[in-house]
Amino acid sequence: MQSRALLLACVAFLSLLAGLTGVRLAYSLAYVVLSLLALSFIWSRATSRRLTVTRESPSGTFTVGEPFTERFTACNHSSLPVAYCEVVDHSPIDGYLASRVCTLARRASVSWSARGVFDRRGRHSFGPLEARIGDPFGLFPKSIQVRAAGEMLVHPAVHPVDDLAPAWSGGSAGDGQPGRPLDVAPDVSTVREYQTDDGQSRIHWKSTARTGRLMSCTYDTPQTSGLLVVLDLGSAVHAGEAPESTLEYAVSLAASICHASLRRGHAVGLVTNDAAGTIFRTRRGEAWRLRLLDFLAVAAADGTVPVAEAVSCHGRSWRGRGGLCVITPDRNPEWVEALLDTGMRGTRPLCVVVEPTSFGAPGTPLRVSAAWRQALNWRLIRRGDMPTSDTSAHVKTR
Amino acid sequence: MQTRVTLPSPVADLRRTAPSLVEFWVGVTLCALLMLATTWAVLAGDWVARAGGTLPVVLVGVAEAALLVRMQVSRAVAVIAGPLFALVAALPFTIATIPADGNASVAHLVVRYAGAMWLPQSLFSADGRTFLVALSLVLWVCAYFATWMAVRERNGGAAVFPCLFVLALNILNAPRSFGLVLPSTVAVALAATVVAQANLSRLAATWRHRSMVVLPGMFGRYMRSAAVMLGLVLLVAALAPPVSSYDLTQSILGSGSPGGLQSSTANRSSQPVGFSVDTVLGGAISAAHPQTLFRYTTDAPAPLYIALATDSQFQNGVWTHGEGSAIGDGSGGDVLWAASAPELGAETRVVHLDVTALTSDSTNATIGARSVALAPWVGTPLSVSVPANAIGIVRSADGAGRLLTVDRLELVSDLKEGTSLSITGAVSTATIEQLRGARQAYPDAFTQEYTNLPGDSATDTLIGIARDWTSGTGNSYDAAVAIETHLRSSAFTYTLTPPQAPDGTLPIIDFLTHSHKGYCQYFASAMAALLRAEGIPSRIVNGYANGTRTSVDAKGDTVYTVTSNDAHSWVEAYFPHYGWIPFEPTPPSQLGYYQPPVRGAVTLLGVGATPNAVPRAYAGHTPSALVLVLLGLLLVLVLLGLAGVWLARPRDLRTLWRRMAVVGRLLGVRRRPCDTDAAFTARLMAAIPPDRAALRRPRGDAGICSRSLRASICKALDEIAVLSGKAQFSSKGIDATERVRWLRCWRQVARALPRLVWRSLLARRRVVEDPYRTGVAAL
């Protein structure tokens, strides 16, 4: 802009001198500067109108830590070369560097791929994209905007929670056997990719023939017991900043537990104390698992009702139906009392406390008394116990 | 749940990001070249003598700014250190120009030098040395500023602004405008390159700061695009005609001003080219702002030299007009000749001249204390159609005043714009033999008036030179021609800015013995004086040469326009019986293609006019466009031939692969760092387009004819790759037979290269026309 203003001033000055004096060389000098400005303008406009930038983005649902690849193509349809083309990607994905600078010959295109990793759950969109081009003298830069691509949902990270499994696993009352449910009923809920430990009888041959890959059935097993997960989404109890925050840890834990339970055939329900008081009744199946993960992907700590209330409200009605798991960073012992008041029999509820002081919250940690230890299963999760950046420990959810 | 990404502002980026080493050196080099070109343009304008010291000053300025950039100092430091650096740069190269005045103390020198550094005064100083110091400082400021702005601030427009300003002033005000085209063009081209490079540097800094990956080939294409744009810009500027060639400053500043923005600088060093009655040597003149004076038509076969006044008195190196006597009744009509005047018979032809004044007072001159309008005339004037008095040597032997010679025709009233007058004159048609046979008995009046020389040492010098130059000649005409030829030889140089003669030496003597540089008055003065030294009556004629052919009038006669730049001086020597015979001692120059007169038919000076009204190209030294084009083609052919020889003669396999890489580039295949020889060869083979016959076959039928070019080239390339691999990895290497084989294969490829490149270009053009085909894939 400054260069352009100075050159315009040059043109005016030189034109004035040339007009006053009539000297041919002065006119030539003025013509040089004037034609430089004019040609730069025409070049910039002509190339910007015939430039297209496209991106091929992945769509669907992903999980935190899952890599993705995008392919960008910048195409110049004009007869003039593009001296430089800055393709700037404004995707709000930390650490994702898809921006490139390229040059385009006349009627040519350039493609490149960019890889990134989703490091946060939630709804994300790729873009917007901005292509900045200009003439070689930087006098008339032009910017082309490409709107953001469609949204995708990133599920929270799912970690292996086998060490928590004995704490809540078990079937109906009296059946405390952990592990995979028996194939007692042929109610196929969905098909999925074959895994090495799937039985040969699980293979769904029609899907296999159609897709060309081995596909296994998953079954609903209504006789197995369920699990109710109570997730604390109160706004006042969480601490830290994403990705190292109690909320992220709690959500990730909830997702991990739900995923593991549903994969084992349990029925899982989810109760939260967010602003909407979201409740998911217990169900089984892959579709339910995805629905729970979809909710957890966008769950926000915006609730005002303490988790004790949710526990006391839903704990009593859940009594005897299966395991109960409370995930919270709340240091107020009211929810523990409420949990004890539910009078759970058969299985001891699991309390997963995400210690807020390790995330920078002031105050003292929750003290777990001996009586509570007797009555409940406790797991204490501190910051760093579930590193969100360590994607190698994540469980594949798809 | 989205988070916004805020990119850092570009301005903040640049302040934190120093230029890379490559950017730094490229920027500094371009700035140095720009300043050298600007200085060259200024030097070509001939502002002041011995100005070559400005070149190292600008280079030092560039170096100083580069040093500060490299040290990453702040702007404030650069500004504060500027004056000190200026002094350091300019002092060593300009201190010697200040003449010694006996006081060698440092303080005194500093005071004198400081006075020269006060630019508002020194730039307009009449003293050449002071002006030189000021010029050096101005150029240093441009260099320092340009380098800092281009390399450190990455602002190309600001960097080149002062240089463009200097170039503009130089073009408009330089004492010598001829010769500015090339350096100005180079400077402007370099200025544009600096702007492009500064922009690229700024962009690169931004990309680095934002960690943006730059795909290969960016920088090369960027500069290529800049070069193409620059070429188009220069072409447009060269071809576009000026809107007007009229000098408006004349009407703004008033007549009598030299025009344009010269004013004080003109006072200092140069006067505009123009007619003057007397011939006074010394001082530079400028052809920058010609004024259109009058136009004429004639029945002569060629454009004419038009006389206005003659000088016959030579004293102290100055030629002045003779007082003469006036004759005429102011009514116009025939000029009265004495009965004993030279015959105007068989050896003359009467020529008519019709003149129309295009500006008022276009032929006015100051004679004594009077401003007199003069009538133009040719040859020996016979009549004039407006009231005028003829001034010359009058003979009154028979009681009636008759003219022996005409020195000038003074009009009774001034010549107004649009006034027309007709003049007839007698132009000599004497042949060379006739002139050689002319007697040497001159009338007394001629001897008194037209052969006198002062009795001083200068005359002795003139006599000696004349004798030396005319040795071997046997008559007056041959002697005159010998002098004329000697002055037109390469020993003498035409220039509008001759050097000042040393004190105590007459300019004419300095011209003849030392400098050998001058303009038409120098040459005419010298010849006239040398002729007189040989005893040949001579005089200087002041008037206008040729004019420019501009149009054709209603009667079909060619109209010539005369401007102030056509002012000229030539010599006439007197030959009894034939009268005043003109001679042209001035060599061709940018102001005119002066040629000696052709004797015999019509002795008319001048050969054909050129259509340009502003300083014409010097046709004698400027090669024609056709010659230039042919030379250019020859150069291109030579270069192509050398390239072909280089390509076809690799010394060994290592240099062969360099040539192979060039072949690859021509075919559109760039060798990647990860490519082995075999891989690269495979890509080359894939890139060779199929033969035309194969292209015409329907898709699917891609049978390759064994005798096809593609097949043979692929086979040759394959053999080269195999032999290359053997040479690299085999313990025994390759023997002489295999060496001959790979050389033969390579020559086969080199011979087929033009065809392959052509086919590749055609194939690429066909591919590119499909807009959905993607091109280069990176990463």
Side-chain angles (χ1 to χ4, degrees):
Chain A
M1 181 70 175
Q2 198 176 2
S3 290
R4 199 191 328 171
L6 282 167
L7 287 177
L8 278 171
C10 260
V11 169
F13 174 68
L14 291 171
S15 303
L16 178 68
L17 287 182
L20 280 178
T21 59
V23 175
R24 168 65 193 259
L25 205 50
Y27 272 107
S28 297
L29 192 59
Y31 289 157
V32 163
V33 184
L34 188 62
S35 52
L36 188 70
L37 285 167
L39 206 57
S40 296
F41 179 79
I42 293 168
W43 193 298
S44 177
R45 290 299 177 266
T47 49
S48 65
R49 284 185 185 174
R50 305 297 301 273
L51 179 73
T52 56
V53 181
T54 54
R55 69 192 302 170
E56 296 161 22
S57 308
S59 58
T61 53
F62 299 86
T63 306
V64 167
E66 191 170 344
F68 62 90
T69 302
E70 272 195 294
R71 187 154 181 83
F72 296 83
T73 303
C75 194
N76 177 22
H77 300 289
S78 77
S79 303
L80 297 171
V82 173
Y84 73 94
C85 178
E86 284 181 41
V87 177
V88 182
D89 176 44
H90 294 293
S91 298
I93 299 174
D94 286 344
Y96 180 47
L97 299 173
S99 304
R100 297 288 185 271
V101 180
C102 62
T103 180
L104 295 160
R106 45 190 292 269
R107 301 185 196 280
S109 63
V110 169
S111 298
W112 67 92
S113 300
R115 294 195 182 88
V117 172
F118 290 111
D119 62 344
R120 292 195 199 174
R121 62 182 177 98
R123 288 195 192 280
H124 295 290
S125 59
F126 287 111
L129 204 62
E130 184 183 4
R132 296 182 197 145
I133 63 171
D135 58 281
F137 298 99
L139 298 172
F140 296 96
K142 193 86 170 80
S143 187
I144 301 165
Q145 306 284 339
V146 178
R147 282 182 295 182
E151 281 187 342
M152 73 220 71
L153 194 61
V154 180
H155 290 164
V158 170
H159 301 273
V161 289
D162 296 332
D163 57 332
L164 299 178
W168 85 84
S169 68
S172 56
D175 181 8
Q177 291 180 1
R180 295 176 55 80
L182 299 175
D183 297 337
V184 295
D187 291 337
V188 178
S189 64
T190 184
V191 292
R192 58 169 169 77
E193 292 266 355
Y194 176 81
Q195 292 178 359
T196 51
D197 52 354
D198 286 346
Q200 202 172 9
S201 59
R202 275 183 172 259
I203 296 175
H204 194 260
W205 292 107
K206 281 189 181 173
S207 300
T208 300
R210 194 167 49 249
T211 60
R213 304 187 300 276
L214 282 175
M215 305 295 284
S216 295
C217 305
T218 57
Y219 298 94
D220 288 336
T221 49
Q223 280 78 12
T224 56
S225 60
L227 172 68
L228 184 67
V229 177
V230 179
L231 175 62
D232 189 351
L233 292 178
S235 59
V237 299
H238 284 283
E241 293 222 358
E244 295 293 318
S245 68
T246 55
L247 175 64
E248 297 303 316
Y249 274 58
V251 167
S252 182
L253 278 165
S256 305
I257 292 171
C258 291
H259 169 84
S261 298
L262 285 165
R263 276 285 164 88
R264 288 168 195 243
H266 293 286
V268 175
L270 181 66
V271 171
T272 71
N273 61 336
D274 60 358
T278 308
I279 299 171
F280 289 90
R281 302 290 177 194
T282 50
R283 280 191 195 167
R284 290 183 179 80
E286 183 62 20
W288 189 243
R289 185 187 71 86
L290 291 174
R291 192 159 164 204
L292 286 177
L293 287 177
D294 288 347
F295 166 75
L296 289 171
V298 295
D302 55 0
T304 55
V305 173
V307 68
E309 205 168 305
V311 168
S312 94
C313 179
H314 296 279
R316 287 181 193 279
S317 59
W318 181 252
R319 197 169 72 179
R321 292 170 64 183
L324 180 65
C325 176
V326 178
I327 305 170
T328 179
D330 195 352
R331 287 171 286 179
N332 190 330
E334 285 184 8
W335 65 270
V336 180
E337 301 295 336
L339 190 58
L340 290 171
D341 286 344
T342 61
M344 300 288 293
R345 291 203 203 100
T347 58
R348 292 197 294 181
L350 172 64
C351 302
V352 182
V353 177
V354 184
E355 183 48 61
T357 55
S358 65
F359 290 88
T364 56
L366 175 70
R367 291 179 64 109
V368 179
S369 66
W372 289 354
R373 284 184 210 278
Q374 287 279 334
L376 305 167
N377 289 320
W378 288 91
R379 287 291 182 274
L380 192 63
I381 304 292
R382 292 193 176 85
R383 180 175 179 168
D385 289 345
M386 288 174 46
T388 53
S389 59
D390 184 9
T391 59
S392 61
H394 292 182
V395 173
K396 276 194 176 177
T397 58
R398 292 188 299 168
Chain B
M1 191 172 68
Q2 289 187 349
T3 53
R4 288 198 172 273
V5 176
T6 305
L7 296 174
S9 70
V11 176
D13 296 345
L14 295 179
R15 285 197 194 124
R16 285 193 292 269
T17 310
S20 70
L21 201 59
V22 172
E23 286 169 17
F24 172 78
W25 282 113
V26 170
V28 169
T29 305
L30 283 175
C31 288
L33 290 173
L34 168 64
M35 288 317 305
L36 284 175
T38 306
T39 309
W40 175 24
V42 170
L43 293 179
D46 226 2
W47 288 86
V48 65
R50 292 197 294 269
T54 50
L55 280 168
V57 171
V58 301
L59 288 177
V60 171
V62 170
E64 288 165 343
L67 182 66
L68 292 179
V69 168
R70 202 71 196 144
M71 291 165 59
Q72 299 186 31
V73 301
S74 66
R75 288 176 190 165
V77 171
V79 169
I80 292 168
L84 178 63
F85 278 134
L87 195 63
V88 166
L91 190 66
F93 302 104
T94 52
I95 188 73
T97 62
I98 296 184
D101 61 354
N103 189 344
S105 70
V106 172
H108 183 63
L109 269 177
V110 167
V111 167
R112 290 183 70 198
Y113 200 82
M117 290 178 73
W118 180 237
L119 291 179
Q121 189 177 357
S122 54
L123 273 178
F124 297 96
S125 166
D127 177 29
R129 298 177 184 99
T130 306
F131 180 78
L132 177 62
V133 172
L135 185 66
S136 303
L137 287 172
V138 166
L139 291 172
W140 179 89
V141 168
C142 290
Y144 189 78
F145 183 79
T147 307
W148 178 268
M149 292 304 288
V151 181
R152 169 72 162 80
E153 303 288 339
R154 297 181 176 101
N155 189 336
V160 304
F161 186 80
C163 296
L164 291 178
F165 184 78
V166 166
L167 284 171
L169 285 184
N170 186 52
I171 286 168
L172 294 168
N173 292 281
R176 192 176 93 172
S177 58
F178 179 74
L180 292 183
V181 175
L182 181 61
S184 299
T185 305
V186 171
V188 166
L190 284 167
T193 310
V194 166
V195 172
Q197 194 277 333
N199 184 54
L200 181 60
S201 177
R202 181 181 59 82
L203 290 170
T206 309
W207 299 332
R208 271 198 304 274
H209 188 75
R210 293 180 185 174
S211 303
M212 291 176 71
V213 175
V214 179
L215 299 183
M218 217 290 299
F219 296 101
R221 176 163 286 125
Y222 185 97
M223 294 313 290
R224 280 198 298 275
S225 301
V228 167
M229 271 190 71
L230 183 59
L232 288 172
V233 162
L234 291 175
L235 191 66
V236 166
L239 295 178
V243 173
S244 160
S245 59
Y246 185 67
D247 191 351
L248 286 171
T249 55
Q250 287 290 306
S251 37
I252 294 171
L253 298 173
S255 61
S257 149
L261 300 177
Q262 283 188 0
S263 55
S264 54
T265 56
N267 291 338
R268 177 184 56 76
S269 63
S270 64
Q271 297 293 328
V273 172
F275 166 76
S276 63
V277 172
D278 298 327
T279 307
V280 182
L281 302 186
I285 56 176
S286 169
H289 303 287
Q291 302 172 49
T292 305
L293 299 174
F294 57 86
R295 63 170 182 260
Y296 71 89
T297 59
T298 178
D299 59 356
L304 304 168
Y305 275 27
I306 296 174
L308 283 179
T310 64
D311 293 333
S312 56
Q313 303 302 310
F314 181 59
Q315 193 69 33
N316 294 328
V318 174
W319 289 86
T320 55
H321 59 279
E323 288 308 320
S325 303
I327 192 162
D329 59 2
S331 62
D334 292 343
V335 174
L336 305 176
W337 285 101
S340 63
E343 291 96 354
L344 303 173
E347 290 83 14
T348 61
R349 171 184 159 171
V350 175
V351 167
H352 297 277
L353 189 72
D354 294 312
V355 176
T356 304
L358 297 177
T359 54
S360 294
D361 306 331
S362 55
T363 60
N364 273 34
T366 304
I367 298 178
R370 305 177 294 137
S371 176
V372 177
L374 300 173
W377 43 275
V378 290
T380 302
L382 300 178
S383 69
V384 60
S385 63
V386 296
N389 294 314
I391 311 297
I393 296 177
V394 176
R395 172 180 165 156
S396 57
D398 54 358
R402 297 285 183 198
L403 281 168
L404 287 177
T405 67
V406 174
D407 290 340
R408 57 187 182 273
L409 296 173
E410 293 184 4
L411 297 172
V412 171
S413 53
D414 290 344
L415 207 60
K416 295 298 175 201
E417 181 180 349
T419 306
S420 294
L421 62 158
S422 296
I423 306 100
T424 57
V427 179
S428 173
T429 58
T431 63
I432 294 176
E433 287 68 30
Q434 288 173 329
L435 292 172
R436 276 179 177 152
R439 300 188 310 270
Q440 293 189 349
Y442 307 108
D444 294 338
F446 281 82
T447 308
Q448 276 177 353
E449 185 77 9
Y450 299 111
T451 60
N452 59 328
L453 284 173
D456 53 16
S457 59
T459 302
D460 296 332
T461 307
L462 289 168
I463 293 171
I465 295 172
R467 257 193 213 141
D468 184 33
W469 289 6
T470 60
S471 63
T473 59
N475 54 74
S476 300
Y477 178 77
D478 284 341
V481 169
I483 294 171
E484 182 190 58
T485 306
H486 209 105
L487 287 169
R488 292 178 61 84
S489 71
S490 57
F492 288 83
T493 307
Y494 185 97
T495 177
L496 293 179
T497 54
Q500 295 276 4
D503 293 336
T505 306
L506 292 177
I508 188 173
I509 301 299
D510 183 61
F511 168 73
L512 284 170
T513 60
H514 180 64
S515 72
H516 296 196
K517 291 180 184 175
Y519 39 87
C520 59
Q521 287 182 327
Y522 281 72
F523 289 91
S525 297
M527 180 165 183
L530 289 171
L531 285 172
R532 290 192 175 194
E534 283 292 300
I536 302 171
S538 63
R539 65 182 184 180
I540 290 179
V541 184
N542 293 314
Y544 294 94
N546 294 84
T548 305
R549 185 186 305 127
T550 52
S551 61
V552 175
D553 65 5
K555 290 186 290 186
D557 292 334
T558 306
V559 178
Y560 298 91
T561 302
V562 174
T563 69
S564 54
N565 274 2
D566 293 317
H568 189 48
S569 297
W570 61 98
V571 172
E572 286 183 343
Y574 185 80
F575 289 83
H577 187 67
Y578 301 105
W580 290 105
I581 303 299
F583 289 85
E584 177 56 87
T586 308
S589 74
Q590 70 265 31
L591 290 184
Y593 189 52
Y594 308 123
Q595 291 295 305
V598 177
R599 311 291 177 197
V602 174
T603 304
L604 292 170
L605 286 164
V607 176
T610 57
N612 296 327
V614 231
R616 295 181 288 256
Y618 170 27
H621 286 175
T622 305
S624 68
L626 181 63
V627 172
L628 281 174
V629 167
L630 288 174
L631 279 174
L633 279 172
L634 187 63
L635 184 66
V636 168
L637 285 171
V638 165
L639 286 173
L640 281 174
L642 287 172
V645 167
W646 174 83
L647 201 65
R649 288 177 174 274
R651 284 195 308 273
D652 49 31
L653 275 170
R654 190 173 53 88
T655 54
L656 167 75
W657 284 103
R658 275 195 220 137
R659 286 149 177 80
M660 194 81 91
V662 170
V663 169
R665 293 291 291 271
L666 290 172
L667 295 177
V669 176
R670 186 177 287 196
R671 181 164 186 161
R672 297 182 292 222
C674 58
D675 274 342
T676 59
D677 293 344
F680 180 56
T681 308
R683 290 174 61 215
L684 264 183
M685 291 196 288
I688 295 175
D691 298 328
R692 276 190 228 165
L695 283 171
R696 281 200 290 269
R697 286 196 205 105
R699 191 173 287 193
D701 180 16
I704 299 173
C705 170
S706 63
R707 283 177 294 175
S708 74
L709 177 69
R710 186 172 190 271
S712 60
I713 297 301
C714 288
K715 192 174 166 193
L717 287 172
D718 190 51
E719 190 148 355
I720 290 172
V722 165
L723 289 171
S724 178
K726 189 176 176 188
Q728 281 185 61
F729 303 111
S730 157
S731 57
K732 293 181 188 171
I734 55 173
D735 55 22
T737 315
E738 287 164 334
R739 206 187 312 274
V740 169
R741 232 169 65 207
W742 73 248
L743 195 58
R744 196 178 297 134
C745 289
W746 172 247
R747 288 204 176 131
Q748 187 183 355
V749 171
R751 272 198 301 273
L753 187 60
R755 274 188 290 169
L756 291 177
V757 170
W758 176 245
R759 285 192 200 171
S760 171
L761 285 171
L762 286 178
R764 270 186 264 176
R765 190 165 171 272
R766 238 177 266 122
V767 164
V768 158
E769 280 167 359
D770 178 359
Y772 295 102
R773 181 184 172 86
T774 55
V776 176
L779 291 190

